[in-house]
Amino acid sequence: MAFVEVRCFSYSHPGSVEPVLREINLSFDRGDFVVVTGKSGCGKSTLGKALAGFLFQDEPPDYSGEIIVNGTDMSQVPLYAASERVAYVQQNAEDQFCTLSVMDEVAFGLENRCIEPAEIDERINEALAVVKGLDLKERDLASLSGGEKQKVAIASMLALSPDVLILDEPTSNLDPIATQNVFSTLHSMRESRDITVIIIEHKLTQLEPFEPKLVVLENGQIAPISAIPAFQSSLGSEIPLHREKIPSGERDEENPPLIALSNINLKLGGRPILKNISLALFPGEFVGLMGPNGSGKSTLLQTLMGLHQPDSGDRTGFGRDLAKTKTSALVKDIGDIFQNPDHQLFTQSVWEEAVLTAQNLGMLSEEKKAAAKDWLDRLGLSGKLSTHPQRLSYGEKRRLNLIAMILHEPGLLLIDEFLIGQDMANAHTWMSLLAAYVSKGNTVLLVNHHADLTQIYCDRVVFLDEGQIVIDASTDEAFVQMKELGYDAFLPQSLKEKTNA
């Protein structure tokens, strides 16, 4: 018997008619390095939760078949016993947090297993070192960036020394350097610790050097081996050759800024987060915001929206002094899509969620309702209008967030890492839609670690590091400056290949 056996497994969510997984058969040996991939919503996360025993806590669970890990039938043991075999890092790090501080979070599972305090301290340090997160040890979880939270979530599971480690898009919020570090560490760790590592991931390019076993899901089923090469070759097939961009240098003379920050300084919890930030955004720009984890990108977006009040500096926009303007008064002009999709889901159905903001602003005309239906159709949600938003996949939630914020057509869209949970086909669809939105004279500021997409679609790149803007230039020039300043990991693949040639 293989170390991990999935035998003819099917599963349906409670209240659902159609199974989300159908007749899954898989087997992995101890020490295997496995990557599960497929289009958004195909059942990848559900398969991960099944392997970890999460799905069998329903009353009663609707499944057939077996999942055996190291001789244990995962459907027949309580969750605390299943966690002795399999550790599962969830797609949304916040969903698994149980405490308020980094140290307590990594220690939580160990304390529940009655590990000796001295060993707990040793394992905390070891696990945080693996994810390059020792500097986070004394921090509160609420003070962390999305990428930093992801590091802590991974460390808390590594500390348990499981037989099988499952990670659901573990690098979705991580910058390119941290992404490569995590993948390299996981690959070497499965050899040194003799554990099976299963990664649910869209970033196949970064994983190719490790020669993983590849599992492709299609509509809840395992794609045949013969289909895998076609799937891999299709990943970049929808990449456009170019996009018409705003000529560099023209925007200053022709248009006043839509919104501007001048000499902004901001501390949170006594820590300097933004340092002397001056930034102007102009109508009709598609701007990519890049930088390492913890550099202040999310905080910058929240400051533009008025969710943080700077300690010093000026903010103006839409003909107003933003320091004297309530955030609620900016909603008509600024759409803000948070990093965590669950933070912006408020209603009982996909349709209600899609039209909520426009309705609250008194802008839900018949024309807007028709536009909402069109957006839902283009983003693959038209068949789920009555579905509760929390029943959607992570990637589907992100798409719903976008519709809710873009329907009333704000002049400025602030978007924090919206490509999380998206396959490349969906990512290009999204970016094309945003480019079309920009072509109407609107402005998009997008936090994004995907350099290839930034290169294709963005007119301009702003690069933050340690709370300061170190680069603000047209996209092509920005990547030249990144190379000169040593930020090679943030370059698109085409420029990396030229550098290595």
Side-chain angles (χ1 to χ4, degrees), residues 120-132:
I120 290 178
D121 289 341
E122 184 179 331
R123 290 206 199 181
I124 290 173
N125 290 330
E126 182 183 55
L128 286 173
V130 165
V131 297
K132 304 292 191 293

Side-chain angles (χ1 to χ4, degrees), residues 119-196:
E119 185 177 348
I120 290 178
D121 289 341
E122 184 179 331
R123 290 206 199 181
I124 290 173
N125 290 330
E126 182 183 55
L128 286 173
V130 165
V131 297
K132 304 292 191 293
L134 274 173
D135 59 317
L136 306 176
K137 185 177 177 180
E138 305 298 329
R139 298 269 299 277
D140 291 333
L141 292 173
S143 72
L144 303 183
S145 70
E148 290 168 337
K149 288 176 181 176
Q150 211 156 24
K151 289 182 179 182
V152 175
I154 295 170
S156 66
M157 294 296 104
L158 289 177
L160 298 175
S161 298
D163 294 329
V164 179
L165 179 63
I166 302 173
L167 306 102
D168 195 347
E169 294 208 48
T171 65
S172 54
N173 283 315
L174 298 183
D175 63 56
I177 297 173
T179 293
Q180 199 59 38
N181 285 340
V182 167
F183 286 157
S184 298
T185 299
L186 290 172
H187 184 261
S188 60
M189 186 183 64
R190 58 103 192 183
E191 296 177 333
S192 61
R193 298 192 182 185
D194 198 25
I195 68 172
T196 302

Side-chain angles (χ1 to χ4, degrees), residues 7 13 19 24 45 162 174 177 209 243 253 262 298 326 346 362 380 404 480:
R7 303 170 185 163
H13 290 301
I24 301 293
S45 295
L174 298 183
I177 297 173
R243 169 186 166 254
E253 292 82 12
S262 178
S298 297
K326 290 184 177 180
F346 307 105
V480 170

Side-chain angles (χ1 to χ4, degrees), residues 7 13 26 53 62 85 88 134 161 179 237 241 276 291 330 414 424 485:
R7 303 170 185 163
H13 290 301
L26 291 169
D62 185 2
R85 299 287 190 196
Y88 178 59
L134 274 173
S161 298
T179 293
S237 63
L241 295 178
N276 200 35
L330 293 174
L414 307 174
M424 285 307 298
L485 293 173

